[in-house]
């Protein structure tokens, strides 16, 4: 694996076996397109249809393993950067609490 710096553009809410599974849509900060992409709306404007392609990949990527098609919250709508940043911050705080022993592991 590798650690890379990215800029979040948006987020999808996948429902995986009844549990929320957030999927952050991001671009590497060293990508030549990064300066032009600051929100999911920029991605759709500059690369029309790309958000739909990403959504469809997440919808069907488990089918080859014999699993059903994935479902999404928010009718499959990809939420924007600010929403994504809120989810990232909240999820990070949950992780910090878990690591510090302030939250019981499930």
């Amino acid at each position: 694996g590798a650690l890379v710096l990215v800029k979040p553009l948006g987020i999808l809410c996948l429902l995986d076996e009844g549990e929320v599974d957030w999927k952050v849509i991001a671009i590497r900060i060293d990508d030549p397109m990064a300066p032009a992409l600051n929100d999911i709306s920029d991605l759709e404007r500059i690369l029309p249809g790309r958000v739909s392609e990403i959504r469809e990949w997440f919808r069907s990527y488990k089918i080859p393993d014999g699993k059903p098609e994935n479902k999404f919250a928010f009718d499959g709508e990809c939420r924007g950067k600010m929403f994504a940043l809120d989810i990232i911050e909240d999820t990070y705080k949950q992780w910090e609490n878990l690591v510090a022993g302030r939250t019981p592991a499930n």
Side-chain angles (χ1 to χ4, degrees):
L3 186 62
V4 295
L5 296 176
V6 299
K7 177 168 50 169
L9 303 175
I11 198 163
L12 282 168
C13 186
L14 185 72
L15 301 175
D16 189 359
E17 297 181 14
E19 293 188 6
V20 170
D21 186 6
W22 293 105
K23 303 298 184 185
V24 177
I25 311 300
I27 187 166
R28 288 176 64 130
I29 62 168
D30 60 355
D31 187 292
M33 294 189 74
L37 298 174
N38 296 297
D39 192 88
I40 204 70
S41 60
D42 296 329
L43 182 60
E44 190 59 39
R45 181 178 46 80
I46 294 170
L47 296 169
R50 186 60 49 97
V51 175
S52 292
E53 291 172 4
I54 293 167
R55 183 183 312 102
E56 289 311 307
W57 187 85
F58 278 118
R59 183 185 316 278
S60 61
Y61 80 101
K62 291 184 179 181
I63 292 174
D65 294 333
K67 295 182 179 180
E69 197 175 77
N70 285 316
K71 304 290 184 213
F72 295 93
F74 309 119
D75 293 322
E77 179 186 334
C78 190
R79 299 297 173 111
K81 179 179 184 169
M82 296 311 296
F83 191 94
L85 291 174
D86 287 343
I87 296 298
I88 292 166
E89 182 178 349
D90 184 56
T91 304
Y92 180 72
K93 286 177 185 175
Q94 290 176 32
W95 175 81
E96 278 185 315
N97 288 331
L98 181 64
V99 169
R102 294 185 295 261
T103 304
N106 296 35

